[in-house]
Amino acid sequence: AQSVTQLDSHVSVSEGTPVLLRCNYSSSYSPSLFWYVQHPNKGLQLLLKYTSAATLVKGINGFEAEFKKSETSFHLTKPSAHMSDAAEYFCVVSPYFNKFYFGSGTKLNVKP
Amino acid sequence: DTEVTQTPKHLVMGMTNKKSLKCEQHMGHRAMYWYKQKAKKPPELMFVYSYEKLSINESVPSRFSPECPNSSLLNLHLHALQPEDSALYLCASSRTQDSGYGYTFGSGTRLTVV
């Protein structure tokens, strides 16, 4: 069975402090993994993806994620939050051909 | 061009109306998708087209009718919708149905059924 669990529905950080958004997955296959960001009333933008190459993946806007197979995790991090990072973040697992499983989302709030 | 363009951005329609949503991409992607997103929820897959042929229909009611006239264009025809169909409708495309490439999403059409 395939599933994605985003461990926090809401995360609040202060501007300039680190961001950690947690994602655990369950997959019978070696999956591709993605993080998408959605700003209010907008579509989804791809932040980064893991497709069985380097386990530390760098994305846009200073985000990165580390694939840990032993922990079945793919947590998203950023060293220093910016106000413009406030948005909804979705972790997505794709175990095989054209199947995408979305996590329930984490809303990131950035305080000035 | 690295975008998926959706029109209109907003649509209000009555339950007896017929309307269409349009999605266009010029990235040479051969797989295109319709997703439905309710407030505070993740997107839910509705349809997948691969090389202009419908490959996945996630048991969507027949009041939603997709169409892929060519490799750049995807339509979603709407007829006799219900208020609970109000949602953000997202179009996406990918190079092929091999999901390793990831999707490019449009900014969506906000649909309100009255």
Side-chain angles (χ1 to χ4, degrees):
Chain A
Q2 333 296 328
S3 69
V4 188
T5 303
Q6 291 184 240
L7 297 162
D8 307 291
S9 59
H10 290 81
V11 170
S12 185
V13 300
S14 297
E15 191 174 23
T17 64
V19 175
L20 170 64
L21 305 183
R22 298 181 294 165
C23 173
N24 284 99
Y25 70 92
S26 170
S27 176
S28 305
Y29 305 86
S30 295
S32 297
L33 295 156
F34 307 84
W35 276 98
Y36 282 85
V37 61
Q38 186 175 32
H39 287 91
N41 298 311
K42 299 289 187 185
L44 282 78
Q45 181 183 18
L46 179 65
L47 276 178
L48 48 81
K49 63 181 179 181
Y50 167 78
T51 54
S52 73
T55 57
L56 182 61
V57 182
K58 292 187 185 300
I60 62 171
N61 301 335
F63 284 94
E64 60 183 39
E66 186 171 7
F67 173 69
K68 292 187 176 180
K69 187 174 182 178
S70 60
E71 299 176 10
T72 60
S73 69
F74 190 58
H75 301 335
L76 181 70
T77 61
K78 183 173 180 178
S80 176
H82 190 272
M83 294 298 292
S84 61
D85 295 327
E88 186 95 27
Y89 291 78
F90 292 100
C91 180
V92 180
V93 172
S94 181
Y96 52 85
F97 190 76
N98 200 39
K99 277 293 184 183
F100 261 38
Y101 294 87
F102 281 81
S104 54
T106 297
K107 187 169 184 178
L108 176 64
N109 179 44
V110 182
K111 298 175 288 186
Chain B
D1 189 352
T2 58
E3 288 187 347
V4 173
T5 302
Q6 289 188 244
T7 55
K9 292 196 182 304
H10 301 274
L11 177 63
V12 179
M13 61 184 289
M15 290 188 285
T16 58
N17 291 160
K18 285 185 180 181
K19 297 286 185 183
S20 296
L21 310 184
K22 180 180 172 182
C23 172
E24 199 163 4
Q25 57 87 14
H26 297 286
M27 295 177 282
H29 289 177
R30 302 311 299 269
M32 296 184 76
Y33 312 81
W34 281 115
Y35 277 84
K36 173 182 178 179
Q37 186 179 25
K38 300 285 278 185
K40 303 186 190 302
K41 298 288 187 183
E44 299 173 359
L45 182 65
M46 300 175 72
F47 302 104
V48 180
Y49 273 84
S50 178
Y51 292 87
E52 296 93 72
K53 293 191 187 322
L54 182 66
S55 66
I56 295 177
N57 176 344
E58 292 283 344
S59 303
V60 178
S62 60
R63 58 185 184 270
F64 295 91
S65 175
E67 179 196 21
C68 190
N70 59 57
S71 61
S72 300
L73 189 57
L74 184 67
N75 298 320
L76 185 62
H77 303 297
L78 314 172
H79 173 56
L81 295 192
Q82 303 296 309
E84 59 265 28
D85 296 320
S86 298
L88 181 67
Y89 287 84
L90 294 163
C91 175
S93 70
S94 61
R95 193 179 301 182
T96 68
Q97 270 193 291
D98 179 355
S99 54
Y101 293 110
Y103 292 178
T104 301
F105 281 88
S107 56
T109 294
R110 176 75 60 187
L111 174 67
T112 302
V113 181
V114 297

